[in-house]
Amino acid sequence: MLLTCAEFENLSKQIYFYINNDEKKQKKLDIKVLSNTITTKYPKLKDTEISSPVQIRFRPLENWSCPNLDANTKCSGIDWWSDYTGLKHHRYANFSKATFQNCYDALASLFVLELYVAALIMPQDHNSFDFDPRYVLSSNPCPYFSSEYYRDLIWPVPKKLPDFS
């Protein structure tokens, strides 16, 4: 759970820098700032559907929002985040928060962010890179999650993400 959530935070920061076009100028990028920036720029991110062996179709970031940057307000839709921060700062006291459900939800959310990062860094014209291996996300698809938006060797032209269609 710790690694998945840390990677979610890292990708959130990369998307933030992409949106704001400023590498590391912001002094403190907490989850509220990241959430607010990302969900404002990509409001349809919540509509991104993925599948897993456990759930046929679901939207892991369907309720993600943080409209208020007030110190006392928590972001919604990423309930696993507060359990992660508790675990990160007080590992032994909060070990019970490293549940399968939290890990599953965090990993599914990370998968959606990875799809968005891939869409941001790859050319939008799919025909221009059809057999170029630089733009293939994986020749070994993720065994945990799948998506219509995922580009691999088997499905060369993915469906566009909600914010890019």
Side-chain angles (χ1 to χ4, degrees), residues 57-128:
R57 289 185 168 279
F58 68 108
R59 296 176 177 145
L61 294 172
E62 184 172 27
N63 299 312
W64 188 22
S65 70
C66 198
N68 186 348
L69 298 179
D70 184 287
N72 297 324
T73 305
K74 287 186 174 185
C75 295
S76 62
I78 52 171
D79 301 332
W80 47 266
W81 184 263
S82 58
D83 287 344
Y84 157 66
T85 57
L87 183 63
K88 180 173 75 169
H89 296 295
H90 304 286
R91 192 160 301 169
Y92 298 106
N94 293 309
F95 187 74
S96 63
K97 295 184 181 201
T99 64
F100 174 79
Q101 189 65 54
N102 278 336
C103 291
Y104 178 84
D105 293 342
L107 193 57
S109 299
L110 174 61
F111 186 75
V112 171
L113 285 192
E114 288 174 343
L115 292 170
Y116 267 73
V117 168
L120 293 172
I121 64 171
M122 289 194 293
Q124 295 302 308
D125 178 12
H126 299 300
N127 295 328
S128 68

Side-chain angles (χ1 to χ4, degrees), residues 9-71:
E9 183 175 19
N10 288 334
L11 282 185
S12 295
K13 287 178 182 178
Q14 293 308 309
I15 294 171
Y16 173 90
F17 295 142
Y18 183 87
I19 292 168
N20 290 305
N21 204 15
D22 65 339
E23 282 289 319
K24 299 172 181 59
K25 289 182 182 173
Q26 179 82 18
K27 289 186 172 124
K28 184 176 181 190
L29 287 176
D30 63 12
I31 195 63
K32 291 176 189 175
V33 171
L34 296 171
S35 297
N36 183 277
T37 302
I38 293 169
T39 59
T40 299
K41 174 68 176 178
Y42 302 113
K44 294 181 182 177
L45 178 123
K46 64 183 178 184
D47 298 331
T48 306
E49 276 190 344
I50 64 173
S51 302
S52 79
V54 178
Q55 291 177 286
I56 302 298
R57 289 185 168 279
F58 68 108
R59 296 176 177 145
L61 294 172
E62 184 172 27
N63 299 312
W64 188 22
S65 70
C66 198
N68 186 348
L69 298 179
D70 184 287

